[in-house]
Amino acid sequence: MYDDTIVAIATAPGEAGIGVIRLSGASSLAIARALFRPSSAGCAYDSHRLYHGHVRDGDETVDEVLLAYMQAPRSYTAEDVVEIHGHGGPAPLERILHLAIRQGARLANPGEFTLRAFLNGRLDLPQAEAVADIIHSRSDASLRLAVNQLGGRLSEAVDNARRKILSVTAQLEANIDFSEDDVPPAAAEPMIDELSAAAEDVQRLLRAADEGILYRRGARVAIAGRPNAGKSSLLNALLRSNRAIVTPIAGTTRDTIEEGINLGGLPVVLIDTAGITQTQDPVERIGVDRSRQAIEQADLVLLVFDSAVGWQREDDEILAALQGKPVLAVANKVDLLGRQEGAQRSDGSPHPAPDRTARPVPLSAMTGDGLPDLEAELRRRLLAGGGAAVDDILVNNLRHKTLLEEAGGHVEEAIESIRAGRAADFVSIDLRSALSALGAITGTEVSESILDEIFSRFCIGK
């Protein structure tokens, strides 16, 4: 489909021991040979072998390198590919890149190597998307999910459902072409059974989709509460480091602070927010506004209150402002219970809070007492589906989830139409729509604009 040769730096920007220039296309080897001077005479440029030598610009030596040639179709893109492995500094890599462009190569677009692998049949679309997921994985769990998808397990599951729908569609359209328009009664039940099995295949993938998406993109958890409830201390405790400034002075945190943690394989971004309170201080008011924005974007809110002084009217007001957000209440400072005048002992339920907060988790952010229980409860609440094993086939992409929901809806409509005795061509319309949605997942039916959107998210060189 592409008849030109592309080139890009395939390693990350910055300084490193090794940097890689990648070429793909019919002229890859010719361009590389124009730049490369092998150390030994009679270099055969056999496929899948490394050759030592130097890249030269006329009489000038640019870098000492290793060259690897991978002949089509046994390469990443299924085209002729050459990789030049040089020293990983910006100067030599940029110099080699421009020499290759001068010899006729074109600078690759983001994701174009992987796009060519997809267009040439080397990868299907979920496998191509998994390449980016592997690069951006932030935990072992998200990495395993991406590797499973790269291995074709999701495509296999989608194709299994698609084959069942296609079988029924073929029967229906044969009836339309060669018989009366209605679905024959004798054929209705077997068709319903086959479509019900396909619908269950789709639902099985959807059941843990939200969980898979969380593993891929990570969860956002906002730490909210009154000033001096111990929000910053809790952030530091969860991070196991002193990231936020902690003082006895209320209102120390004036802005949001974001840091990531690995919560049992689930990537989580913690957002420490400024204490939510009524204030005339213009700087503090900006901090409160930013806190509200962070809370709005969070998947879950840790509502921290001071258990040593008990649940206050201000806590009620904050909780009321969190309507619609999942909330986990944290009874902080349990180490101070009974030590100071006016302290109120808490059994974990210091105030009759709404059911959505469930039972507050008792904690001392200062001593770490209760921290493991909070982490376990936090993970359980985020993975509301129960925490499917990451070695299962988990849909981890919102595009896939949306298309599966669309396909499942069309299959259910088709089943209902067969049961209602509607015309075969009416049923066929829904089944064709379901097949189109599933085909858009695997890439058998996908528009150029969707491909552009998917691969534009890749880095240049991949």
Side-chain angles (χ1 to χ4, degrees):
M1 186 168 292
Y2 288 89
D3 57 4
D4 59 349
T5 296
I6 55 176
V7 65
I9 299 172
T11 42
E15 297 179 354
I18 298 172
V20 177
I21 301 288
R22 173 183 282 167
L23 298 109
S24 180
S27 302
S28 296
L29 183 58
I31 291 171
R33 292 182 69 166
L35 310 178
F36 181 68
R37 299 294 180 269
S39 297
S40 57
C43 178
Y45 293 99
D46 292 329
S47 183
H48 292 80
R49 294 192 64 181
L50 278 176
Y51 294 94
H52 177 268
H54 297 81
V55 170
R56 295 180 64 84
D57 182 6
D59 294 331
E60 179 188 357
T61 297
V62 175
D63 197 9
E64 181 181 13
V65 302
L66 293 172
L67 182 144
Y69 168 52
M70 288 154 276
Q71 188 175 29
R74 296 172 56 219
S75 72
Y76 180 70
T77 62
E79 301 174 333
D80 282 353
V81 169
V82 171
E83 289 184 354
I84 299 172
H85 299 221
H87 293 91
L93 292 176
E94 289 286 346
R95 184 78 179 278
I96 296 170
L97 178 68
H98 285 103
L99 287 173
I101 292 172
R102 198 167 73 190
Q103 290 294 326
R106 170 175 63 81
L107 185 64
N109 294 319
E112 190 170 355
F113 290 95
T114 306
L115 173 60
R116 291 190 177 203
F118 164 68
L119 294 174
N120 292 326
R122 167 75 170 74
L123 301 171
D124 62 28
L125 197 50
Q127 288 175 310
E129 291 171 290
V131 171
D133 292 344
I134 288 173
I135 293 170
H136 297 299
S137 292
R138 289 182 284 169
S139 70
D140 287 343
S142 57
L143 174 61
R144 289 205 301 277
L145 284 177
V147 169
N148 282 343
Q149 187 169 313
L150 182 61
R153 294 183 63 187
L154 174 60
S155 301
E156 183 181 340
V158 171
D159 282 338
N160 189 42
R162 199 166 186 269
R163 281 192 297 270
K164 293 170 184 174
I165 299 169
L166 194 58
S167 172
V168 175
T169 304
Q171 294 177 57
L172 282 171
E173 295 186 351
N175 285 325
I176 294 171
D177 292 338
F178 302 112
S179 183
E180 68 276 0
D181 287 343
D182 294 337
V183 178
E189 284 306 318
M191 286 183 181
I192 289 173
D193 290 344
E194 188 79 348
L195 291 178
S196 296
E200 175 54 30
D201 289 342
V202 170
Q203 290 305 315
R204 190 179 301 114
L205 291 172
L206 280 171
R207 273 194 283 271
D210 289 337
E211 181 177 332
I213 290 169
L214 269 185
Y215 274 114
R216 178 176 183 256
R217 69 168 173 83
R220 293 181 66 82
V221 174
I223 305 173
R226 292 187 295 112
N228 213 29
K231 300 182 296 300
S232 295
S233 295
L234 176 56
L235 174 73
N236 290 341
L238 288 167
L239 293 174
R240 271 71 171 180
S241 69
N242 292 322
R243 171 63 178 85
I245 297 173
V246 176
T247 74
I249 303 170
T252 301
T253 301
R254 294 292 190 98
D255 201 352
T256 57
I257 299 173
E258 296 191 10
E259 289 291 340
I261 62 170
N262 185 332
L263 194 63
L266 178 66
V268 174
V269 175
L270 298 170
I271 308 108
D272 181 22
T273 66
I276 298 177
T277 185
Q278 298 295 327
T279 177
Q280 298 304 314
D281 185 323
V283 176
E284 193 172 7
R285 195 159 55 235
I286 292 172
V288 171
D289 289 341
R290 290 186 177 181
S291 296
R292 294 185 190 279
Q293 293 173 11
I295 289 168
E296 182 61 31
Q297 297 168 1
D299 296 294
L300 186 144
V301 178
L302 291 180
L303 178 53
V304 184
F305 66 93
D306 186 342
S307 64
V309 299
W311 186 276
Q312 303 292 307
R313 178 177 55 81
E314 293 90 340
D315 297 312
D316 271 328
E317 293 172 354
I318 295 170
L319 183 61
L322 297 176
Q323 291 295 332
K325 299 298 294 186
V327 176
L328 175 58
V330 179
N332 192 26
K333 303 186 182 181
V334 294
D335 55 308
L336 299 181
L337 289 176
R339 294 185 189 177
Q340 63 187 51
E341 186 178 353
Q344 301 175 28
R345 182 165 297 281
S346 169
D347 63 354
S349 302
H351 186 275
D355 291 342
R356 66 196 181 95
T357 65
R359 179 183 174 87
V361 178
L363 173 82
S364 169
M366 188 63 65
T367 67
D369 185 33
L371 192 61
D373 292 337
L374 174 61
E375 290 173 328
E377 181 62 15
L378 178 57
R379 191 175 189 278
R380 188 190 70 79
R381 291 288 297 274
L382 288 170
L383 300 177
V390 294
D391 291 323
D392 294 341
I393 304 171
L394 289 187
V395 173
N396 67 349
N397 185 305
L398 184 58
R399 186 183 79 87
H400 299 166
K401 179 190 176 186
T402 302
L403 289 167
L404 284 167
E405 289 173 336
E406 181 182 334
H410 284 299
V411 173
E412 293 295 344
E413 287 290 335
I415 292 172
E416 182 58 31
S417 293
I418 294 173
R419 285 179 175 151
R422 299 189 182 110
D425 55 352
F426 190 87
V427 179
S428 181
I429 290 171
D430 267 318
L431 294 185
R432 282 290 170 191
S433 297
L435 289 170
S436 178
L438 294 178
I441 294 175
T442 58
T444 57
E445 298 185 37
V446 65
S447 67
E448 186 174 341
S449 61
I450 293 297
L451 291 179
D452 289 342
E453 180 185 349
I454 291 171
F455 289 100
S456 67
R457 302 170 190 159
F458 283 55
C459 55
I460 294 174
K462 196 58 183 172

